[in-house]
Amino acid sequence: MTGPLLTGPEAEAARLSPKPGRTGPFSYVRAISYYIHVGLATLVIGLWGMTQMRHGRKGANRVATIWIRYMLRAAYWHMGVAVELRGTPPARGTDALIAAKHQSFLDILAIAYAAGRRSFVMKREVMRVPIMGWYAREVGSIPIDRKKGRDAMGQIVTSVRERIDAPDGLGHLIVYPEGTRTRPGEHRPYKHGIATIHMETGVPVWPVAVNCGLFWPKKGMPIASGRAVIEFLPPIQAEPGETREAFVARLRDLIETRSDALMAEAGFKPA
């Protein structure tokens, strides 16, 4: 394995099974050792990265890239799990909305690494977490206060517009339309926020399908070895006269259909 994400022939040459390996008691030991390892690494990288804060968003993104790369490599070292990247992520110099299926911590890392100018729409509480919250704020992540209901979406749209007009632009804003992690085979309704942001700003939407939850479960343990997949699908935009509901339904069909196909490739059979 040469890079944090496997692409093309490298994915086949990695000799990692596309199906999750067996898990047992030792899988928990490996996972615990991983979490201890990356916890210490996060502290070291995070504190070192404070020296990069004078470079603003660019510096914060540089530190985030180093941290994510280390997290992905450590997952391979400890547990033998890696991620294959399929499709084409948005180019670095563009603004994009990334609407992704969310099954585990692994897909967060992989999608964030693929999107070089990443930021998130995330709960306000997460922005207050030491180190992680600092960097999330510095790379341009947008907090959401769910207690404010519809008013919260108005604030998000305003924040997105402000970032679009900023000298370094919006970057690649990652949104999880289901609003939470889901188990393999679970299909939740999509929230309309992604459609609202898109239609109010005109920023194109990149759908992303995943099967990471088969390898790295929602609860974080046990973690199976193998080659998980994230796939960037071609970007979409609202058609003339298309409603928010219709756009979300189209987006959901694209993501869920392809995610189901990726999980089937990995041997998953829904109950």
Side-chain angles (χ1 to χ4, degrees):
M1 180 175 171
T2 57
L5 297 179
L6 304 171
T7 57
E10 184 185 22
E12 297 298 328
R15 297 182 180 179
L16 289 172
S17 172
K19 298 181 179 180
R22 294 181 179 180
T23 58
F26 192 60
S27 301
Y28 288 89
V29 175
R30 292 189 299 174
I32 291 170
S33 70
Y34 169 79
Y35 287 125
I36 293 173
H37 180 174
V38 300
L40 293 172
T42 297
L43 180 61
V44 172
I45 294 172
L47 293 176
W48 165 81
M50 299 300 288
T51 64
Q52 302 297 309
M53 285 303 188
R54 65 181 183 275
H55 300 295
R57 185 177 180 183
K58 184 177 180 180
N61 254 319
R62 184 184 301 121
V63 176
T65 297
I66 293 170
W67 178 76
I68 296 167
R69 182 190 298 127
Y70 194 91
M71 298 283 279
L72 289 169
R73 288 190 181 280
Y76 177 70
W77 298 334
H78 283 266
M79 300 166 296
V81 63
V83 182
E84 176 185 354
L85 170 63
R86 297 183 187 174
T88 304
R92 285 185 175 271
T94 62
D95 290 338
L97 298 173
I98 296 174
K101 183 76 175 175
H102 182 25
Q103 294 180 334
S104 78
F105 183 57
L106 184 59
D107 59 63
I108 293 178
L109 294 175
I111 293 169
Y113 190 82
R117 298 174 63 225
R118 85 288 291 173
S119 61
F120 295 85
V121 173
M122 58 173 54
K123 291 185 290 187
R124 185 177 297 276
E125 294 78 11
V126 177
M127 303 282 277
R128 296 172 182 154
V129 176
I131 299 179
M132 183 181 294
W134 301 339
Y135 286 104
R137 183 170 56 252
E138 288 299 320
V139 300
S141 293
I142 298 174
I144 179 172
D145 187 349
R146 293 179 176 177
K147 296 179 182 178
K148 293 187 176 181
R150 292 183 179 180
D151 291 339
M153 181 51 58
Q155 292 178 358
I156 291 172
V157 171
T158 298
S159 295
V160 170
R161 285 175 171 159
E162 290 174 351
R163 283 163 172 72
I164 291 172
D165 293 336
D168 53 356
L170 174 67
H172 304 150
L173 184 63
I174 301 168
V175 181
Y176 299 110
E178 289 171 291
T180 188
R181 283 176 290 184
T182 59
R183 295 179 175 85
E186 182 180 4
H187 302 93
R188 288 175 174 262
Y190 278 33
K191 301 181 186 298
H192 290 181
I194 184 68
T196 299
I197 297 171
H198 165 63
M199 291 182 172
E200 292 290 335
T201 64
V203 178
V205 178
W206 264 258
V208 181
V210 309
N211 70 1
C212 298
L214 296 176
F215 300 82
W216 194 309
K218 181 178 179 179
K219 293 182 178 180
M221 287 191 287
I223 298 169
S225 62
R227 187 177 80 236
V229 179
I230 62 168
E231 182 172 352
F232 281 77
L233 306 177
I236 65 172
Q237 291 187 293
E239 298 173 352
E242 189 172 27
T243 64
R244 286 176 171 78
E245 291 76 12
F247 180 81
V248 168
R250 182 158 60 95
L251 177 66
R252 184 178 188 273
D253 183 62
L254 287 169
I255 295 174
E256 297 299 320
T257 299
R258 189 56 193 152
S259 292
D260 287 347
L262 293 179
M263 288 188 285
E265 282 184 27
F268 178 72
K269 296 179 181 179

